[in-house]
Amino acid sequence: MNFSEVFKLSSLLCKFSPDGKYLLRITVWSLCTKSVSYIKYPKACLQGITFTRDGRYMALAERRDCKDYVSIFVCSDWQLLRHFDTDTQDLTGIEWAPNGCVLAVWDTCLEVRILNHVTWKMITEFGHPAAINDPKIVVYKEAEKSPQLGLGCLSFPPPRAGAGPLPSSESKYEIASVPVSLQTLKPVTDRANPKIGIGMLAFSPDSYFLATRNDNIPNAVWVWDIQKLRLFAVLEQLSPVRAFQWDPQQPRLAICTGGSRLYLWSPAGCMSVQVPGEGDFAVLSLCWHLSGDSMALLSKDHFCLCFLETEAVVGTACRQLGGHT
């Protein structure tokens, strides 16, 4: 261990008490009476020691027997008040609420945990492997395709005449055969905020599905069946996913990747839609209307409103076009 590592480790475990009378560094040194109190098993993490605002209590992260714990001490005499298991994989930090009534504990970068909202116990954990091997999981891969005559049956109205030239290429979804290897990014772990763990998630309005994005697999959206607690589908885009949001009225997910296309997923399948307009409209974010029949698409400097056709209108259009999709 070099000097910088020793200094960093020491700084993580060294802290003054709020009243300035004690110096903590594995042991508690009184600067008034010169008494010493020993603290066992402190964990060297970024924020492993925290005090309540009134200075009455201290919480300390600990690591023993390959498990994480938190101990609560009374600062007046440094007696142990409470000790409990945090049920974390690799505790990263702890922090008191401003009123001192709640203590927050956070883990290292997680792939996804589902908790019971009453007991706050873990129900299950969703892993995000880079390889999909289960044949029951549908994997949709976005692929480029040459433009075709005819607009097909889309959930958006066709572009108006004079709205601008059609794109030179289009995209579609193909169902990949398992096993499927997803594109991954190697996280830079020696820098702050590495691209790893779940950076985006959202439940469908009916609570049947959960959509997630793993930051070091940025092109993929994972859709989980919450009733059966299993992976339902994976969508791999050609570009990193910038945002996604559920239709407020039904389990339909809208996705954007910073390009001029909008992507829609439902249990029935996926589709890719070119945003009509002049030039390339880079969709960076989106927002559904509460009715679920329209949404706002946002670029860096502009936004546009998209109106989705109802099922009846789409069905009629499909029949008129000979059922081509």
Side-chain angles (χ1 to χ4, degrees):
M1 184 178 292
N2 58 38
F3 175 79
S4 62
E5 291 174 332
V6 172
F7 178 80
K8 182 178 180 181
L9 180 62
S10 301
S11 64
L12 291 174
L13 298 176
C14 184
K15 197 168 189 177
F16 278 98
S17 62
D19 59 11
K21 296 180 180 180
Y22 299 91
L23 177 65
L24 292 80
R25 186 182 179 275
I26 301 179
T27 52
V28 182
W29 302 80
S30 173
L31 302 182
C32 298
T33 66
K34 298 182 181 180
S35 63
V36 178
S37 301
Y38 296 94
I39 299 177
K40 296 182 179 181
Y41 314 113
K43 181 171 183 177
C45 54
L46 189 61
Q47 194 169 340
I49 301 175
T50 180
F51 294 89
T52 55
R53 282 191 174 183
D54 58 13
R56 295 179 60 188
Y57 302 104
M58 180 193 76
L60 174 72
E62 299 179 348
R63 182 76 173 181
R64 65 177 79 174
D65 302 325
C66 299
K67 296 185 68 175
D68 291 326
Y69 299 87
V70 168
S71 292
I72 310 296
F73 294 89
V74 180
C75 294
S76 59
D77 55 10
W78 301 104
Q79 293 298 310
L80 179 64
L81 179 66
R82 189 177 180 187
H83 175 76
F84 58 90
D85 180 0
T86 60
D87 194 26
T88 51
Q89 288 183 342
D90 184 11
L91 186 150
T92 301
I94 54 178
E95 180 64 50
W96 286 103
N99 61 8
C101 295
V102 178
L103 180 68
V105 179
W106 60 93
D107 209 336
T108 186
C109 297
L110 293 174
E111 292 194 340
V112 167
R113 284 183 177 175
I114 304 299
L115 307 179
N116 183 296
H117 74 286
V118 177
T119 64
W120 295 108
K121 296 294 184 180
M122 185 177 72
I123 299 174
T124 189
E125 186 171 14
F126 290 148
H128 291 66
I132 308 297
N133 299 309
D134 189 346
K136 296 181 181 179
I137 300 171
V138 181
V139 180
Y140 298 95
K141 293 178 73 75
E142 183 189 5
E144 294 283 355
K145 69 173 184 177
S146 300
Q148 298 177 354
L149 295 177
L151 296 174
C153 179
L154 301 180
S155 290
F156 285 89
R160 301 183 307 273
L166 291 175
S168 58
S169 64
E170 300 175 2
S171 76
K172 63 176 181 178
Y173 281 108
E174 297 177 346
I175 298 179
S177 301
V178 295
V180 178
S181 295
L182 304 175
Q183 300 179 53
T184 61
L185 291 179
K186 185 177 180 180
V188 183
T189 55
D190 60 347
R191 296 182 182 178
N193 303 317
K195 295 294 184 180
I196 188 172
I198 301 305
M200 190 183 303
L201 59 83
F203 283 95
S204 62
D206 54 12
S207 299
Y208 280 14
F209 298 101
L210 170 68
T212 61
R213 188 199 67 186
N214 190 351
D215 286 350
N216 62 306
I217 311 179
N219 291 25
V221 175
W222 310 66
V223 181
W224 306 85
D225 185 330
I226 296 301
Q227 288 189 327
K228 297 182 179 179
L229 296 177
R230 68 177 184 89
L231 183 60
F232 188 84
V234 177
L235 288 70
E236 186 175 33
Q237 307 296 136
L238 292 173
S239 302
V241 174
R242 298 294 299 262
F244 56 69
Q245 192 176 88
W246 290 98
D247 182 335
Q249 299 297 326
Q250 58 179 299
R252 178 169 54 177
L253 185 69
I255 304 167
C256 64
T257 62
S260 58
R261 300 186 184 102
L262 180 69
Y263 307 92
L264 295 172
W265 176 90
S266 76
C270 297
M271 68 183 310
S272 168
V273 180
Q274 179 71 29
V275 178
E278 297 181 0
D280 290 333
F281 185 91
V283 185
L284 302 179
S285 184
L286 54 89
C287 180
W288 284 92
H289 188 274
L290 292 178
S291 65
D293 58 6
S294 61
M295 70 176 75
L297 306 180
L298 288 77
S299 68
K300 183 179 179 180
D301 301 312
H302 302 84
F303 78 93
C304 70
L305 297 177
C306 295
F307 298 89
L308 283 76
E309 297 178 346
T310 63
E311 294 183 1
V313 174
V314 171
T316 301
C318 287
R319 288 191 296 270
Q320 290 176 348
L321 293 171
H324 296 292
T325 59

